[in-house]
Amino acid sequence: MSCLVAPSLLAADFLNLKQAIALINRSDADWLHLDIMDGVFVPNISFGFPVLDAIKDILEKPMDVHLMIVEPEKFIDRLKSSGAYMVNVHYEACTHLHRVIYEIKNAGMRAAVTLNPHTPVACLEEIICDVDMVLLMSVNPGFGGQKFIPNSFDKIVRLKELIDRKASNALIQVDGGVDLTNAQKLVFSGADVLVAGSAVFRSEHPEEVIRKLKGM
Ligand code: DX5
Ligand code: ZN
């Protein structure tokens, strides 16, 4: 079995972003995961469009943007011009999720819906055929380096059942506390895309970790 790997830039050395992007470019990483936080939807603020714009011209992999913000619909055109490939919006932040998903798609990007750890998979019943991916948070969003929540394994299985039952093409992505100790079980449970921040960028051998994660 093998999966896609999307290292999260949040755990990189921000004084050496150019080196971090070069590492992603030469590695087996499939996408670069970019965590945008607003201090409202989550109790933290990370980085925003100026950072995406700066890396856009040197990054050779697709940008997987995870919006941990309220009112994500305000920024769809801006994300397109910053080079986003995939846009992840939180279920909990979108009153009109169906509209937001189609605004992202109509702007020429892939659309994903993200669930917090407490949000049940069943809430996706009516939207699962409209999204390109579901991102299951395996920690509470807002910070890197947190402990993986074990209930996520069963949640992936439940999501996979829903996807199969509805004949949806949605990928399953997992984000938070993913490392070499849980990656294989995540892929066996049904994960298609693994996000890893600390496990990659805090490692002595980031490219090797990416290669191992991909081989799960
Ligand atoms: C957390 C972010 C994650 C984070 C993952 O809110 O969505 O993408 O960067 O970091 P690790 O892999 O360190 O848990
Ligand atoms: Zn993320």
Side-chain angles (χ1 to χ4, degrees):
M1 272 176 124
S2 101
C3 59
L4 301 181
V5 174
S8 168
L9 193 70
L10 192 64
D13 175 0
F14 284 8
L15 285 177
N16 291 294
L17 280 186
K18 222 176 193 172
Q19 284 173 25
I21 302 303
L23 179 130
I24 294 300
N25 286 342
R26 67 173 180 264
S27 77
D28 291 339
D30 296 279
W31 304 338
L32 179 63
H33 186 81
L34 294 149
D35 291 298
I36 299 186
M37 307 177 188
D38 65 356
V40 178
F41 181 69
V42 288
N44 198 7
I45 296 175
S46 55
F47 51 77
F49 298 114
V51 173
L52 269 58
D53 291 340
I55 66 176
K56 180 185 168 195
D57 293 334
I58 57 167
L59 179 66
E60 295 164 8
K61 308 275 169 104
M63 286 187 190
D64 172 39
V65 181
H66 178 191
L67 295 176
M68 284 161 274
I69 64 172
V70 298
E71 302 185 306
E73 64 278 4
K74 282 185 179 172
F75 303 104
I76 292 168
D77 291 341
R78 189 67 184 81
L79 284 161
K80 178 68 181 170
S81 66
S82 289
Y85 162 76
M86 178 76 78
V87 177
N88 296 267
V89 295
H90 267 261
Y91 173 86
E92 302 84 1
C94 295
T95 307
H96 303 288
L97 179 62
H98 183 276
R99 177 183 293 149
V100 178
I101 293 296
Y102 278 94
E103 283 174 356
I104 295 167
K105 288 184 162 186
N106 291 338
M109 297 174 287
R110 306 278 172 104
V113 60
T114 307
L115 300 187
N116 275 337
H118 74 278
T119 305
V121 159
C123 70
L124 298 176
E125 182 87 23
E126 310 305 331
I127 197 79
I128 196 67
C129 292
D130 301 291
V131 296
D132 295 300
M133 188 171 77
V134 177
L135 166 50
L136 295 182
M137 288 308 300
S138 42
V139 298
N140 287 291
F143 305 92
Q146 300 183 83
K147 203 167 167 292
F148 179 84
I149 299 173
N151 181 59
S152 311
F153 293 121
D154 287 348
K155 198 170 175 183
I156 295 169
V157 173
R158 283 191 291 279
L159 175 56
K160 184 83 183 140
E161 281 168 8
L162 174 66
I163 287 171
D164 289 347
R165 178 164 57 79
K166 291 277 197 168
S168 159
N169 293 318
L171 295 173
I172 300 176
Q173 184 178 45
V174 185
D175 181 11
V178 173
D179 60 22
L180 292 172
T181 69
N182 52 28
Q184 188 159 52
K185 192 170 172 189
L186 289 169
V187 173
F188 281 147
S189 303
D192 302 297
V193 189
L194 301 179
V195 175
S198 312
V200 169
F201 285 105
R202 301 289 155 94
S203 155
E204 300 257 298
H205 307 287
E207 287 177 71
E208 200 177 310
V209 173
I210 293 169
R211 194 164 47 243
K212 283 183 178 164
L213 287 170
K214 262 199 82 67
M216 292 296 170

